[in-house]
Amino acid sequence: MFVLYLLPTVYSVGYLQKLYLPDPGPESFAFDLNGQGPYTGVADGRILKYKGPLIGFVEYGYTNPNRPARFCDGTNRTDLAKICGRPLGIGFYYKTGELYVADAGLGLVVIGPRGGPGRQLVTSAEGVPFGFPDGIEVDQETGIVYFTDASARYNISQIPELISNKDATGRLLKYDPKTRNVTVLLRGLSGASGVAINKDGLFLLVTEFVTARVQKYSLKGPLANTAQVLLNLSGSPDKIKRNFVGDFWIALTVQSQEPTPAITLQGQKINGNGHILETLTFSPEFNSTLITEVQEYNGALYLGSLYVGYVGVYHRIWRI
Ligand SMILES: *[C@@H]1O[C@H](CO)[C@@H](O)[C@H](O)[C@H]1NC(C)=O
Ligand SMILES: *[C@@H]1O[C@H](CO)[C@@H](O)[C@H](O)[C@H]1NC(C)=O
Ligand SMILES: *[C@@H]1O[C@H](CO)[C@@H](O)[C@H](O)[C@H]1NC(C)=O
Ligand SMILES: *[C@@H]1O[C@H](CO)[C@@H](O)[C@H](O)[C@H]1NC(C)=O
Ligand SMILES: *[C@@H]1O[C@H](CO)[C@@H](O)[C@H](O)[C@H]1NC(C)=O
């Protein structure tokens, strides 16, 4: 590693490892305080925990406390989201070990520190029910939970309609566990899919899938409680996750028409000023029509998608 600092140009190539799941659709990931995981929510409503190559994935929890397990286990049907649950964004609050979940069918849910059944916290804000809860971020300093509703009008079974109608009913929301109050921070968002807080708790970055951009919402300072467009992207962003340095990885699905219609799945690393620091392409090895998350953990990049049956783990090989 030492040599990297001395030589001028460093670029990376990598290889993709696949952690196979008992059910498809690992939308996003979390790691616990002990570094165990990844944890991920899948299509049948369960949240699974990876216990290493010998054991693989085991059940950790589920969002609907009355989930009929025998009916739901193994399903890949999004229309059952209200019955089986459909965990999308997940994030631990390390002080309590609780796992917060943005569930497409059940709203904001919390699972206790030992896993098992979830507890539904909120399903609406300002009287408007959530249609498609999607991204989540827990502020580790305050315990406040930030999450997105991708749309108030369309649900997870209606993604094509959400996109073709350029829906703009998405919202950025804040849940305070002390008051159990939910507040709308931003409205009129177009496919609000991901949210991440910066290292110092100064701002949030919010991705919009339909308008292909990132907005910056200030939490503190002179611009507090206002947002501005930080960056227009070359594709549709889903989740955004901060890495240990404080930069952010965006999962990006790029559609092109020339020379033939193609989909490229990428991860794009940006900083808090909206500068693109790195772009990596994971397709065709990561073979899907959508990438939902790129999360950097312990040097590897964890790749999620609604439509694959494994967790992608991209390992970089540094070349000079
Ligand atoms: C989504 O909305 C449609 C139309 O209202 C409805 O038929 C369907 O059951 C809903 N799906 C989910 C997962 O809630
Ligand atoms: C909850 O939030 C609303 C506005 O979003 C505010 O009017 C109300 O005072 C808050 N309640 C508590 C208990 O903080
Ligand atoms: C993003 O694109 C919009 C519309 O083309 C443009 O008005 C805006 O200045 C752009 N913002 C940034 C930060 O590039
Ligand atoms: C990707 O998946 C499609 C359909 O599922 C398949 O036809 C194609 O061969 C796969 N490509 C690669 C590179 O694995
Ligand atoms: C799950 O369902 C989606 C949507 O119908 C489909 O694209 C995908 O291939 C399915 N995944 C698996 C592993 O069966």
Side-chain angles (χ1 to χ4, degrees), residues 31 241-245 247-249 269 278 293-302 316 318:
F31 293 86
K241 297 301 279 190
R242 198 181 71 228
N243 70 5
F244 68 103
V245 179
D247 297 321
F248 302 88
W249 280 100
K269 187 167 79 176
E278 190 174 353
E293 180 157 303
V294 177
Q295 182 170 161
E296 185 172 1
Y297 193 81
N298 270 350
L301 296 168
Y302 290 80
R316 285 192 264 188
W318 294 95

Side-chain angles (χ1 to χ4, degrees), residues 196-275:
I197 193 167
N198 95 310
K199 241 181 157 180
D200 313 318
L202 294 178
F203 59 85
L204 304 171
L205 296 186
V206 187
T207 49
E208 290 176 278
F209 189 86
V210 178
T211 39
R213 64 187 191 181
V214 182
Q215 292 206 52
K216 184 175 188 169
Y217 180 91
S218 299
L219 294 166
K220 295 177 183 164
L223 294 175
N225 307 317
T226 65
Q228 65 209 92
V229 176
L230 181 70
L231 179 64
N232 293 310
L233 297 159
S234 55
S236 302
D238 204 308
K239 302 288 172 285
I240 179 165
K241 297 301 279 190
R242 198 181 71 228
N243 70 5
F244 68 103
V245 179
D247 297 321
F248 302 88
W249 280 100
I250 299 170
L252 207 61
T253 300
V254 184
Q255 301 211 31
S256 52
Q257 297 306 324
E258 301 293 331
T260 52
I263 291 175
T264 308
L265 304 180
Q266 294 184 328
Q268 201 154 63
K269 187 167 79 176
I270 68 167
N271 66 15
N273 297 321
H275 293 125

